[in-house]
Amino acid sequence: MSRRPFRLTIVHPCVGRRAGMKRYIRTWQMEPIPAAMVAALAPDDVEKRFYDDRLEPIPFDAPTDLVAISVETYTARRAYQIASEYRRRGVPVVMGGFHATLCPEEVSRYCESIVIGEAERTLPEVIDDYRHGRPRRTYRAEGRPALTVTPDRSIFAGKRYLGIRLVEFARGCRFKCDFCAITAFFGASQSHRPIDRVLEELARVRRRGQMVFFIDDNLVSNLPAAKELMRALIPLKLRWVSQASINVAFDEEALELMRRSGCQGVLVGFESLNPAGLAEMNKRFNLMHGGPVQALANFRRHGIRIYGTFIFGYDADTAQTIDTTIRFAQEEGLYIAAFNHITPFPGTPLEQRLREAGRLRFDTWWLDAGYRYNMVPFHPASMSAEALEAHCVRARRRFYGWPSILRRATHRVNRATPYMLANFMAINAMHQWDIEGRNGLPLGDEGFRGELLEAAS
């Protein structure tokens, strides 16, 4: 008699859901590449099923041998709810991801096994150990793995994601911004996939006219490697976007390669226009060579649109700082922008500093039943937490109001092609709708009625 295959269930948890909520936040519905990586790392003879908690109900009673969940700080509460449902049914759960590495003691309370660090080397071992009935509590990756595995997107079949293809080239970032969980996870290092692997993946997954999003934490952290990638992309005639630090705006060769390789825009973390705020976050380099104003002029000259991100709540920030930032983003014609308060993620210097100063409002904001998305989880220096929260929401409403959208649409770089102008209108409208949809969202499923089930120590 042949043995049945080992059954692995992969679950991507949502950030949160109000009781009775029917429609999830659309801007958050991109393909979850970590889930596809888990599927790719599983041996070929493993039977894989995937459920995306943002898009569909999870059939907890469907038979399976092991459940794998990648946990981020924002999804931790929901991940523990999902794990509890499986574990009540006697199904073991393994957890990994950013939050598992940054908070291993917490995460291990809600699963049978935890993967700390990157999973390329450890996950096949986890599955083999469960197959043979010898699982361990902790699997710890040593060093950085070779990035040679391509995500298994077959698990996405039939699911309705945003029409943008996600591809990874580099992982990690070499900068040391004090608020950044990515730096805490990777230790301010970056690794790269072989370019031929990236090109093979693009040839397999791209569709005519589809935008490609290189999901790298900072595509240009290692600028020579990024330039090598861009040179290889030129013959493909792609349209692509990514995330980049401001330094690339002052390298003329890099800008020219971005244009020639099909770059349509990049997310740039300007974070603050206040030199004192940038000093606090260890990001003084944002003022290099004329700072954001000159950087934006350089990007525009090469037809590159900008998604600018700004964060508020450092000690130097005031209501005037925020108002100045909104006007700047509108006048400079940013394609889209984010206006958020700083968030003390576990493991970051920011979180440690606020904790030591007694300025955290919640011991673990991501688990507190009273916390809601967009709440400020610390005590700012120059205003109340409630005032900072209100300023951030007001900034989004102003920037994504129709007068602002239409004004920014007139900027030459935003209307340079019919394709990008159409995308501009659609993306800005989507962000406008999502302001209220995500504001006040509970973390975890508000309709969850059970207790979180902790693992035996």
Side-chain angles (χ1 to χ4, degrees):
M1 182 182 294
S2 63
R3 251 179 104 185
R4 66 166 176 80
F6 185 85
R7 299 165 299 191
L8 175 67
T9 297
I10 305 163
V11 179
H12 182 77
C14 72
V15 169
R17 184 180 291 112
R18 297 180 177 89
M21 185 175 172
K22 301 296 184 185
R23 179 176 175 239
Y24 200 64
I25 296 165
R26 186 65 177 147
T27 49
W28 287 352
Q29 293 180 27
M30 290 189 183
E31 295 173 342
I33 295 301
M37 287 297 294
V38 170
L41 291 168
D44 292 339
D45 62 344
V46 169
E47 182 182 292
K48 294 168 282 193
R49 297 171 186 165
F50 168 61
Y51 302 106
D52 191 326
D53 188 40
R54 302 169 299 178
L55 307 177
E56 60 195 334
I58 301 170
F60 291 108
D61 292 318
T64 188
D65 297 305
L66 180 65
V67 173
I69 305 175
S70 183
V71 188
E72 298 175 1
T73 301
Y74 271 116
T75 63
R77 185 176 175 84
R78 179 57 181 154
Y80 303 156
Q81 292 174 348
I82 293 168
S84 296
E85 291 288 358
Y86 276 112
R87 296 173 61 246
R88 281 191 188 92
R89 293 162 170 79
V91 178
V93 175
V94 57
M95 290 185 176
F98 276 89
H99 196 69
T101 296
L102 298 175
C103 296
E105 292 182 5
E106 174 195 300
V107 174
S108 64
R109 296 196 338 243
Y110 302 101
C111 59
E112 276 61 46
S113 297
I114 182 172
V115 174
I116 298 173
E118 295 166 274
E120 274 84 350
R121 294 174 185 152
T122 52
L123 191 64
E125 184 180 354
V126 171
I127 294 172
D128 188 64
D129 284 354
Y130 271 92
R131 267 178 159 168
H132 294 93
R134 59 185 188 215
R136 306 201 311 266
R137 287 285 286 141
T138 302
Y139 294 82
R140 187 182 298 273
E142 300 296 338
R144 302 296 304 273
L147 303 184
T148 57
V149 177
T150 299
D152 178 3
R153 289 182 173 81
S154 66
I155 65 172
F156 297 153
K159 302 189 194 299
R160 183 172 169 263
Y161 293 112
L162 290 175
I164 183 169
R165 186 62 79 195
L166 277 58
V167 175
E168 181 183 55
F169 169 55
R171 192 182 296 174
C173 177
R174 300 195 295 183
F175 291 108
K176 297 180 179 179
C177 307
D178 88 325
F179 56 82
C180 187
I182 291 164
T183 292
F185 183 95
F186 293 112
S189 67
Q190 188 179 56
S191 56
H192 299 82
R193 291 177 67 194
I195 289 176
D196 60 345
R197 294 293 182 102
V198 176
L199 299 182
E200 288 169 8
E201 182 178 0
L202 287 168
R204 185 162 54 251
V205 306
R206 66 180 293 207
R207 300 291 180 268
R208 183 177 177 84
Q210 188 177 45
M211 187 79 75
V212 172
F213 175 22
F214 288 106
I215 58 173
D216 305 15
D217 307 305
N218 180 0
L219 180 72
V220 299
S221 177
N222 182 330
L223 203 45
K227 289 178 181 179
E228 186 179 353
L229 172 69
M230 292 176 214
R231 291 187 188 99
L233 294 178
I234 291 171
L236 304 186
K237 301 190 182 304
L238 287 179
R239 290 190 183 110
W240 64 269
V241 294
S242 190
Q243 304 177 102
S245 48
I246 197 171
N247 59 299
V248 73
F250 305 106
D251 188 307
E252 193 63 25
E253 181 188 31
L255 290 172
E256 181 64 17
L257 286 171
M258 290 170 76
R259 184 191 64 78
R260 291 176 59 203
S261 62
C263 178
Q264 302 300 306
V266 286
L267 182 155
V268 177
F270 295 117
E271 318 307 8
S272 179
L273 303 178
N274 187 334
L278 291 171
E280 283 186 85
M281 65 183 76
N282 195 32
K283 206 160 182 176
R284 290 185 182 89
F285 59 83
N286 267 17
L287 299 175
M288 65 193 301
H289 306 306
V293 172
Q294 187 59 53
L296 285 165
N298 292 350
F299 282 127
R300 282 193 296 265
R301 186 160 39 82
H302 289 269
I304 298 169
R305 300 150 193 90
I306 298 300
Y307 176 0
T309 65
F310 301 92
I311 51 177
F312 308 119
Y314 277 95
D315 291 355
D317 288 333
T318 64
Q320 182 60 47
T321 303
I322 299 171
D323 187 63
T324 299
T325 302
I326 301 164
R327 289 201 310 273
F328 171 85
Q330 291 175 320
E331 291 167 3
E332 290 289 340
L334 296 187
Y335 199 76
I336 48 179
F339 305 94
N340 298 316
H341 60 75
I342 52 174
T343 300
F345 285 101
T348 61
L350 171 65
E351 193 267 352
Q352 182 180 357
R353 190 169 65 252
L354 291 174
R355 185 176 296 279
E356 290 173 353
R359 292 174 58 183
L360 294 180
R361 298 175 65 196
F362 308 93
D363 184 48
T364 51
W365 55 266
W366 56 92
L367 296 182
D368 198 290
Y371 180 81
R372 295 290 183 271
Y373 194 85
N374 279 340
M375 282 182 69
V376 176
F378 66 98
H379 297 287
S382 60
M383 65 186 82
S384 69
E386 293 77 14
L388 177 57
E389 178 184 336
H391 279 301
C392 291
V393 173
R394 189 157 48 246
R396 297 179 201 117
R397 288 175 180 155
R398 280 177 57 185
F399 187 80
Y400 290 111
W402 281 113
S404 172
I405 292 174
L406 295 174
R407 176 184 175 189
R408 288 182 289 111
T410 65
H411 281 252
R412 179 180 296 179
V413 70
N414 294 337
R415 59 179 171 82
T417 68
Y419 175 86
M420 289 307 294
L421 179 59
N423 273 272
F424 173 88
M425 298 304 294
I427 292 169
N428 275 268
M430 196 182 302
H431 278 276
Q432 183 189 80
W433 297 331
D434 284 349
I435 291 170
E436 308 306 329
R438 70 178 69 185
N439 195 36
L441 189 74
L443 301 192
D445 189 339
E446 201 169 44
F448 179 78
R449 291 292 173 259
E451 296 292 325
L452 296 184
L453 185 63
E454 295 197 17
S457 56

